[in-house]
Amino acid sequence: MITGVHAMFYSPEADALREFFRDKLGMAHFDAGGGWLIFTPSFGEVGFHPSSQTSQDISFVCDDIQSTVADLKAKGVEFTQDVANQGYGLVTYFSAPGGLTIQLYQPLHAKG
């Protein structure tokens, strides 16, 4: 039985990404050995959406997008778009080391 999801980011700036997730995003984590941080969000879900092309994406979920954006901006996180209602949720994007742009959203659907 599948019990979870392990998401991975590949980057030439992996150390900076780990520091960003730890220090700026404040994400729970543990050291798997030798300073290799594994992050452990308390909630996860996987969705499958129709599209003309095959791709994968990752989004970070929050309960209150306005306060989360304000908290992250206070820590120096840069957002690339204003919050917008996309139907499935309130959505924005932020920049992370290595040239990554990551979606942050507050779901408008009930969480499982």
Side-chain angles (χ1 to χ4, degrees), residues 34-99:
W36 191 274
L37 303 181
I38 302 292
F39 294 85
T40 57
S42 61
F43 170 77
E45 60 186 16
V46 178
F48 299 90
H49 301 266
S51 176
S52 61
Q53 298 180 356
T54 301
S55 66
Q56 305 94 28
D57 198 5
I58 188 164
S59 302
F60 289 104
V61 179
C62 63
D63 292 326
D64 179 344
I65 199 163
Q66 297 300 338
S67 76
T68 301
V69 167
D71 289 345
L72 294 176
K73 281 184 176 180
K75 294 178 181 178
V77 175
E78 295 179 26
F79 285 81
T80 62
Q81 294 182 20
D82 292 333
V83 174
N85 187 329
Q86 297 295 334
Y88 63 90
L90 304 176
V91 176
T92 187
Y93 295 84
F94 61 88
S95 298

Side-chain angles (χ1 to χ4, degrees), residues 8-18 21 36 96-100 102:
M8 294 170 280
F9 290 88
Y10 295 92
S11 171
E13 295 183 44
D15 289 337
L17 271 171
R18 289 184 199 110
F21 276 67
W36 191 274
L100 295 174
I102 301 171

